[in-house]
Amino acid sequence: VLQQDDQSAVGDSVIFLTDGEATDDIQSCLQSAVDSGAIINTIALGPEASDVLVTMADLTDGKFFFADQSLLSNQLVDAFSSFTISDGDLTKQTIQLVSTGRIINDWFNGTVPIDRTVGNSTTFTIIYERIAPTVYIQTPSGSVYDQNDQTHITHNAATKTVALNVPGTAEPGDWKYSFLNRESTAQTMTLTVTSRAAHDDVPPIMVKTDMKKPTSDGRQPMVVYAEVSQNYLRVLGAKVMAILESDTGHSENLYLLDNGAAADAFKDDGIYSRYFTKVQNGRYSLKVQVIHQDGAVSGAPNRNSGALYVPGYIVDGEVQLNPEKPPVNVQSADVGSFTRTVTGESFVASVPSGVTPPNFPPNKITDLSAEIQEDTVLLNWTAPGEEMDEGTAESYEIRWSERLEILQKNFSDANPVNTSALQPQEAGSDEQFSFLPGVTIQNGSTLFFAVQAEDKDSVKSEVSNIARVTKFVPTPRPPEISNPGLNVTAIVVSVCVVIIMVCFIAFVSKWAMKRKKASREV
């Protein structure tokens, strides 16, 4: 079929959906699909779909999605929503705002915030199980759309859907919905809300999500990523949750963080991350929900530099201070509260039979920092977990040295710090610890620090990044001349006055001598 337009299927895109219950032999057509040059995106509907779908998508540069067959999950709708054909113009791309489902006895209520970056082609789609519900959707200004509005609300009994197509540009603000189950028994309903950019010159807030690896054998933790941005502006301060569900019934909810610790490489770069350690056999779907309830969106246009800030240096035994570290450039835009829902490519976990997944250690601390306040050392870092970045570690081991290579090559040879009073906090918390190193810290001297976390089974994390701190007390300088130009002028005037006085005295003396001599001659 794809070859009918130009006699070639190369570069054409295909969505291949199967539940595995038919007698088709997918393996037999795998090679011909690869040879066609088409991009084949595959959807495995239910646990019986063939594993060849994963291989087919991989070999043809397509995407693989797993979708549960239950209406409640809404995963099939989410999978199709993730297939967007775009020419690169983000203002023309359909964006999924909400995807939710419930088993309803009476009312299905909720709120959908429409932010100022979207609003065109906004659609509310309700899928029901048996009987169409009574529909009420209220705009932020109070107008109501209901089932009597046949101009904007359509009902398709064959597909069991009710859809509201909002005319023009949807009003920004909170849209409230209420769906009444008209059956005497409970039934499942789902709601999907999509929209497009409200303005051609204002890019919408977008979300992308992915796993660091598409497969897992359980021996290493997986990493979930989600990037929240508005064009090139990274959106900060959002609440990001990843929902991972397998075809075997295993489910995990992970709150992703942008704190520059654990799985997150850079703080405040708009990329939210988290480790996924509780991997079980199966095919996992990945859905990410983003909520931002503050109207003002803060963002950073560029990632922060990883270069070390050096507060000063020593010249001829004197401490010279550098300018203060420049602040991070954070911009703010008032777009209103927003939600986004995005589905990432599914992944496969295959833990070998008889193999017990390892007990992962606490994650490596990567943001350790140090400062000296007189003779006291103050350390700061983000708390790891009992297992990577989940839970609470059992204890910390802190060591220091005046030589960097000691901490680099043999952590246990460095000077220990008494941490008996330091109780670890929950993963992701801000840790702070101060102590006296037991030596007098001379001005200009440099100390190095590192930390290891330990879990309840005495499994230790990797040694943290090494924090370096130098005690800088500026060398006193003689008082500076407040206005050199004024003082030079005063000196010149003083000299001139002295010269004039000397000349005057000499003149008066000479005049007096002449007069005295003249009086004698008379």
Side-chain angles (χ1 to χ4, degrees):
V1 174
L2 295 176
Q3 295 177 348
Q4 292 180 357
D5 54 351
D6 57 1
Q7 306 303 310
S8 174
V10 176
D12 292 337
S13 186
V14 178
I15 298 177
F16 181 19
L17 166 68
T18 178
D19 59 6
E21 298 178 4
T23 57
D24 298 336
D25 185 3
I26 301 176
Q27 179 67 50
S28 63
C29 65
L30 174 61
Q31 191 57 50
S32 60
V34 174
D35 294 340
S36 70
I39 299 171
I40 303 179
N41 304 288
T42 59
I43 301 177
L45 183 60
E48 301 302 322
S50 173
D51 291 336
V52 180
L53 293 173
V54 180
T55 306
M56 182 178 292
D58 182 53
L59 295 179
T60 61
D61 291 329
K63 295 181 178 181
F64 166 71
F65 293 91
F66 162 73
D68 190 87
Q69 291 177 315
S70 70
L71 173 61
L72 183 63
S73 71
N74 211 32
Q75 289 177 357
L76 184 58
V77 174
D78 294 337
F80 275 101
S81 297
S82 66
F83 294 117
T84 56
I85 300 176
S86 174
D87 58 359
D89 185 356
L90 298 181
T91 63
K92 300 298 188 292
Q93 187 169 326
T94 299
I95 301 168
Q96 190 176 48
L97 307 185
V98 169
S99 172
T100 184
R102 286 172 55 187
I103 299 175
I104 301 300
N105 286 304
D106 43 28
W107 287 98
F108 182 8
N109 301 318
T111 301
V112 180
I114 304 291
D115 60 275
R116 295 181 180 87
T117 69
V118 295
N120 288 340
S121 303
T122 301
T123 302
F124 289 69
T125 303
I126 305 102
I127 304 177
Y128 57 88
E129 186 177 3
R130 293 183 297 274
I131 301 296
T134 301
V135 174
Y136 298 93
I137 299 176
Q138 180 177 307
T139 70
S141 60
S143 300
V144 175
Y145 295 97
D146 58 26
Q147 66 276 6
N148 296 321
D149 184 355
Q150 299 182 4
T151 302
H152 302 111
I153 292 183
T154 58
H155 174 215
N156 189 324
T159 59
K160 296 182 179 179
T161 59
V162 179
L164 164 65
N165 296 300
V166 179
T169 301
E171 180 184 350
D174 289 339
W175 287 62
K176 299 178 181 180
Y177 60 85
S178 297
F179 311 137
L180 175 62
N181 177 20
R182 296 190 291 119
E183 269 208 329
S184 58
T185 57
Q187 68 168 331
T188 301
M189 298 183 199
T190 66
L191 171 66
T192 304
V193 182
T194 60
S195 189
R196 292 187 177 184
H199 309 282
D200 291 339
D201 57 346
V202 179
I205 294 173
M206 306 285 289
V207 178
K208 299 177 182 178
T209 186
D210 201 359
M211 303 294 295
K212 186 175 182 180
K213 296 180 180 179
T215 59
S216 173
D217 59 6
R219 291 182 294 182
Q220 296 292 331
M222 302 191 75
V223 180
V224 189
Y225 296 100
E227 179 181 353
V228 187
S229 63
Q230 185 184 14
N231 202 13
Y232 296 108
L233 186 69
R234 313 282 179 168
V235 176
L236 311 181
K239 183 179 179 181
V240 182
M241 185 174 69
I243 304 170
L244 302 104
E245 297 178 323
S246 77
D247 56 1
T248 59
H250 178 227
S251 177
E252 287 287 335
N253 293 347
L254 299 175
Y255 281 103
L256 309 188
L257 303 175
D258 185 19
N259 59 356
D264 193 60
F266 297 95
K267 182 178 181 179
D268 292 340
D269 66 349
I271 299 178
Y272 301 73
S273 316
R274 201 71 184 261
Y275 285 112
F276 176 42
T277 59
K278 297 178 175 61
V279 179
Q280 300 180 10
N281 279 325
R283 293 178 285 199
Y284 281 84
S285 64
L286 169 61
K287 178 192 287 189
V288 167
Q289 296 176 338
V290 179
I291 300 174
H292 196 288
Q293 295 180 337
D294 186 0
V297 172
S298 297
N302 298 305
R303 292 181 180 175
N304 301 336
S305 170
L308 176 67
Y309 169 71
V310 179
Y313 53 93
I314 299 176
V315 177
D316 296 331
E318 294 188 0
V319 176
Q320 307 292 330
L321 296 180
N322 285 325
E324 293 185 3
K325 186 177 181 180
V328 177
N329 180 20
V330 177
Q331 302 175 2
S332 180
D334 186 9
V335 300
S337 300
F338 71 85
T339 62
R340 296 290 186 273
T341 300
V342 63
T343 298
E345 191 171 355
S346 299
F347 62 95
V348 179
S350 300
V351 180
S353 178
V355 175
T356 301
N359 176 24
F360 294 113
N363 65 266
K364 175 182 176 180
I365 296 169
T366 59
D367 61 348
L368 178 67
S369 63
E371 60 180 289
I372 294 178
Q373 299 175 350
E374 296 182 351
D375 289 327
T376 300
V377 175
L378 179 63
L379 300 180
N380 292 276
W381 67 94
T382 301
E386 167 76 10
E387 189 172 14
M388 301 307 289
D389 57 2
E390 289 289 329
T392 304
E394 184 71 17
S395 63
Y396 292 118
E397 181 178 355
I398 302 176
R399 292 182 179 269
W400 69 274
S401 176
E402 295 178 319
R403 297 170 56 192
L404 174 63
E405 60 271 17
I406 291 181
L407 289 172
Q408 289 178 323
K409 297 178 180 179
N410 198 338
F411 175 75
S412 59
D413 285 347
N415 303 304
V417 175
N418 184 359
T419 58
S420 58
L422 177 57
Q423 184 64 39
Q425 300 185 69
E426 185 179 359
S429 302
D430 293 331
E431 295 278 28
Q432 187 175 87
F433 184 64
S434 61
F435 63 95
L436 295 170
V439 297
T440 301
I441 306 175
Q442 301 294 334
N443 189 29
S445 59
T446 299
L447 302 180
F448 300 91
F449 303 88
V451 183
Q452 262 190 326
E454 187 174 309
D455 67 12
K456 61 185 178 183
D457 296 322
S458 299
V459 179
K460 295 184 177 181
S461 69
E462 296 180 54
V463 177
S464 71
N465 67 298
I466 298 176
R468 167 182 173 171
V469 64
T470 302
K471 184 175 182 179
F472 281 115
V473 178
T475 304
R477 297 180 180 180
E480 295 182 355
I481 298 174
S482 59
N483 192 334
L486 180 60
N487 288 323
V488 170
T489 302
I491 292 171
V492 171
V493 171
S494 299
V495 171
C496 292
V497 170
V498 171
I499 293 173
I500 292 172
M501 292 298 295
V502 170
C503 293
F504 177 75
I505 293 171
F507 172 77
V508 171
S509 298
K510 187 176 180 181
W511 176 79
M513 290 178 65
K514 285 183 178 181
R515 184 171 181 178
K516 185 176 182 181
K517 183 178 179 182
S519 62
R520 287 178 180 176
E521 291 177 354
V522 174

